[in-house]
Amino acid sequence: MEIKILQDIMQSNKNVAGEVKALLESKKIYMIDMMSSPGSGKTMLTDRLIGALKERYRIAVIEGDIKTTRDAERLAKHNIPIFQIETDRFGGDCHLESSWVKNCLEQFDLDSLDLVIIENVGNLVCPAEFQLGDDERIVVLSVTEGEDKPAKYPLMFNTSDTLVLNKIDLLPHLDYSMDELMANIKNVNPKIEVFQVSAKTGEGMDSLVQHISAGIDGKKGA
Ligand code: MG
Ligand code: ZN
């Protein structure tokens, strides 16, 4: 019985993700689902991306956190639409579901948006299971988390389109093997595109910004 209920939840999440995808397609809006473990620097990365993209594109953010609106407050300076989901109110869930994203999107003026960035709840496990109807799944991994995460959380890395390796400014202080990381990542997902960045210093951000711009332009048919 419990298995049946779980299947129903996953199926209904998948169905609504399909509705979200269709909605975004009709409005030609590009959506990114950004996932990572806590402390990987997602919010600083989002901050950088908004800063680099907001002159050219109209952006909105959906912030998922179990509790607190701290991340949303850090992005408030950009004066763009931000919708905070405190999953605590829905029973402390450690991931976002497509129906919540759909409700958020209905709060935005979709005719005046080009890009929606979802900052998912910090967790490398179940966000991977819940499709949200996005165009691109980005997993953010900081070099301080070690090289073995793709091997330990294969689903997350296997279902992502893009890996942003963050905090590369710390590499000189770490005993980090880029070769080992790359071998681990290629093992679970040979097709994933990798960007090495420091959201703090801005290093490597240009190619990531170009990559996302290409996605937005591609969807607009520009
Ligand atoms: Mg955050
Ligand atoms: Zn969860």
Side-chain angles (χ1 to χ4, degrees):
M1 198 56 192
E2 265 182 48
I3 290 170
K4 173 83 175 74
I5 291 166
L6 185 64
Q7 280 173 346
D8 287 349
I9 291 171
M10 298 314 285
Q11 188 55 49
S12 125
N13 183 78
K14 204 175 167 184
N15 294 344
V16 178
E19 293 169 23
V20 169
K21 211 169 183 61
L23 176 66
L24 295 172
E25 185 57 46
S26 72
K27 300 287 180 185
K28 302 288 173 209
I29 298 170
Y30 197 71
M31 188 165 82
I32 290 169
D33 179 9
M34 202 172 350
M35 298 172 288
S36 77
S37 51
S40 65
K42 270 198 311 298
T43 305
M44 198 185 280
L45 185 70
T46 306
D47 187 0
R48 278 270 181 194
L49 287 175
I50 296 168
L53 293 165
K54 71 177 177 184
E55 297 300 322
R56 263 186 299 160
Y57 304 106
R58 301 161 300 171
I59 309 169
V61 174
I62 297 172
E63 273 290 336
D65 281 296
I66 295 172
K67 197 106 191 89
T68 83
T69 56
R70 207 165 292 169
D71 288 351
E73 284 158 24
R74 283 170 66 189
L75 301 174
K77 64 178 179 197
H78 292 293
N79 283 315
I80 61 167
I82 299 176
F83 199 101
Q84 173 81 51
I85 303 175
E86 273 187 275
T87 58
D88 190 44
R89 291 163 197 233
F90 304 91
D93 271 310
C94 38
H95 59 266
L96 294 179
E97 294 184 17
S98 57
S99 57
W100 311 344
V101 170
K102 191 175 175 226
N103 290 341
C104 284
L105 290 174
E106 284 163 359
Q107 315 285 323
F108 293 138
D109 175 12
L110 296 179
D111 289 317
S112 60
L113 283 183
D114 305 306
L115 171 67
V116 174
I117 301 174
I118 300 171
E119 203 184 315
N120 214 315
V121 181
N123 177 354
L124 284 176
V125 187
C126 44
E129 309 242 17
F130 286 83
Q131 299 175 21
L132 301 180
D134 52 89
D135 296 281
E136 181 174 0
R137 281 187 147 195
I138 298 181
V139 56
V140 184
L141 182 69
S142 61
V143 292
T144 51
E145 294 170 75
E147 304 93 341
D148 60 349
K149 289 292 180 291
K152 282 188 174 164
Y153 303 95
L155 188 67
M156 172 60 72
F157 291 86
N158 181 255
T159 58
S160 291
D161 306 292
T162 310
L163 165 64
V164 175
L165 191 62
N166 193 20
K167 305 193 188 179
I168 57 165
D169 55 297
L170 296 177
L171 283 174
H173 310 286
L174 302 170
D175 187 17
Y176 193 82
S177 167
M178 198 60 78
D179 290 345
E180 194 184 327
L181 186 266
M182 291 303 172
N184 285 335
I185 189 81
K186 296 293 171 210
N187 220 3
V188 293
N189 186 351
K191 284 193 223 150
I192 201 165
E193 206 168 340
V194 183
F195 294 88
Q196 299 185 26
V197 310
S198 166
K200 193 177 171 195
T201 66
E203 189 183 350
M205 287 299 297
D206 284 353
S207 37
L208 180 61
V209 166
Q210 270 176 33
H211 164 81
I212 293 172
S213 303
I216 302 168
D217 294 343
K219 189 148 188 185
K220 288 221 170 295

